[in-house]
Amino acid sequence: MTEPYISVIISAYNRTKYVGEAINSVLSQTLDKDKYEVLVVTNMDLPERERVRIIKSNERWYGAMIAQAIEEARGEIISVLDDDDLFLPNKLEVLYKVFKERQI
């Protein structure tokens, strides 16, 4: 049985006001950092951050942006977060445990 791996996709289109807080809420998860990756799909120029992969997108529609990020994601579990939302600190730990327990 392989360990589940999570890809967190944060979408950000034409607004930078909250995206930093969204990224921080993912980077400060209680789940071990080697069990998930963080991808930000955006049409903006964002500063480089450790453990965050920026995916530039010319797509205007939310679904198309997410689909583009999924193509680059390495996780078998995809979790999506909007730029103006936050994860609770244990969100990914709970998600990981649920998928691990139900894995065949």
Side-chain angles (χ1 to χ4, degrees):
M1 178 169 33
T2 62
E3 293 290 314
Y5 187 74
I6 302 170
S7 293
V8 178
I9 298 171
I10 302 172
S11 63
Y13 185 81
N14 280 348
R15 60 183 183 186
T16 59
K17 186 172 182 178
Y18 303 112
V19 72
E21 291 178 56
I23 292 169
N24 289 339
S25 80
V26 178
L27 292 177
S28 62
Q29 290 293 298
T30 57
L31 182 66
D32 291 337
K33 307 299 182 219
D34 63 341
K35 295 189 181 345
Y36 69 96
E37 67 177 344
V38 182
L39 299 92
V40 177
V41 60
T42 182
N43 66 325
M44 303 174 296
D45 290 323
L46 296 177
E48 298 274 331
R49 292 199 52 182
E50 188 176 340
R51 298 201 64 252
V52 177
R53 203 161 21 130
I54 306 294
I55 301 169
K56 288 290 286 197
S57 178
N58 293 321
E59 298 292 346
R60 181 173 177 201
W61 306 109
Y62 177 79
M65 289 176 74
I66 297 301
Q68 181 180 351
I70 288 172
E71 289 290 322
E72 296 193 34
R74 296 179 302 196
E76 56 191 87
I77 303 164
I78 305 292
S79 183
V80 178
L81 180 66
D82 290 333
D83 60 355
D84 62 346
D85 292 327
L86 303 173
F87 277 173
L88 291 173
N90 67 337
K91 157 84 175 181
L92 295 182
E93 186 175 356
V94 170
L95 183 66
Y96 181 86
K97 286 179 181 177
V98 167
F99 273 85
K100 186 169 174 110
E101 288 170 2
R102 292 191 168 90
Q103 207 173 33
I104 297 175

